Amino acid sequence: MTAPLPPFLGYVLAAPVLVAAAELTAAYPAAARTPSPDVAGLLGLGQIMTAAALPGAALISVEVGPDGTVSFTLPPDRYDGDTSAAELIADGLSVPRRRVRVPPPRPTGGRTRGAPHPAVGARTPVRVAVAVARRRLLEAASAALGTPVAGLRLAAGAVTDRTGRRLDIGALAGTAASTSTIAVTVDLTPR
C-alpha cells in the first residue's frame, strides 16, 4: 500500500509567460528531516533521492512558451542529457513529447559509472513544477472559456471544454503567467 503524499509547495514565477518552479523543503514534515534509527520506516528510496535533490530544487522550473512548446531547467547536478524529465513533463502537461525542449547535455563532472542517476532525485520536483503549470493553464482556460476547471480536459497540448472549444497551451501561456511570484500548493498522486 502506498502512503499518501503530503501537499507540495510550488511557485508561479513572475514572467511574461507561464513559468512554474518547485520548492520541496516546506513540504516535508519535520519528522522526515530528522535522523531516526528506523529510517526504512520513514522514507523509501525515491523519497531519499528527492531529499538529496532539495538543495537545488528551487532551480527546477518548467516554462510554457507562446508557441506551445515547453522547456525546463534543472540544476547541473540533476541533469546530464537524459530525457526522463522531458517525458515526465510531456505526460504531466499532456503535450506531445516533441513539444518539450530538452536542454543540451552538460559535462557530468566526474559522475561514476553505476552511481544513482541524478535525474532520479529530480522526479518529484519536476512533477511539482508540472502540477503548478497544469493548474495555472486550466485556471486560465476556465476564465477564457467560462467553464469550470472540472469541465476542462488537457490533452495533446490544448485545453478543451465539453462543447469542443479548444485553446492551445501556447495561447494560454501569457494569461496563466503572473506579474509577481506566487506560492501554490499542489497534491501529487503516488506513483
Side-chain angles (χ1 to χ4, degrees):
M1 181 175 167
T2 305
L5 296 174
F8 290 90
L9 183 63
Y11 294 94
V12 177
L13 303 181
V17 295
L18 177 60
V19 179
E23 170 161 297
L24 300 178
T25 54
Y28 284 93
R33 292 191 301 262
T34 305
S36 166
D38 185 18
V39 175
L42 287 176
L43 301 171
L45 179 59
Q47 292 167 312
I48 292 168
M49 296 294 284
T50 297
L54 291 177
L59 301 175
I60 294 174
S61 65
V62 173
E63 179 179 323
V64 179
D67 62 353
T69 59
V70 181
S71 56
F72 61 97
T73 304
L74 297 177
D77 65 332
R78 297 288 161 221
Y79 178 75
D80 68 0
D82 191 319
T83 59
S84 61
E87 291 165 4
L88 281 173
I89 292 165
D91 182 52
L93 288 178
S94 301
V95 296
R97 171 59 188 82
R98 69 181 181 284
R99 286 176 63 175
V100 179
R101 303 287 182 240
V102 177
R106 299 177 188 153
T108 61
R111 192 173 138 243
T112 58
R113 265 183 138 39
H117 195 288
V120 171
R123 285 187 182 137
T124 299
V126 168
R127 289 182 62 212
V128 170
V130 167
V132 170
R134 181 181 186 91
R135 178 172 163 180
R136 290 293 289 198
L137 289 167
L138 289 170
E139 289 170 350
S142 174
L145 298 172
T147 303
V149 170
L152 299 173
R153 188 173 80 99
L154 181 56
V159 178
T160 309
D161 69 6
R162 292 182 177 136
T163 66
R165 294 182 295 169
R166 181 180 194 274
L167 291 170
D168 188 81
I169 62 170
L172 296 167
T175 308
S178 179
T179 57
S180 61
T181 298
I182 56 173
V184 178
T185 303
V186 293
D187 292 314
L188 299 180
T189 56
R191 286 196 159 217

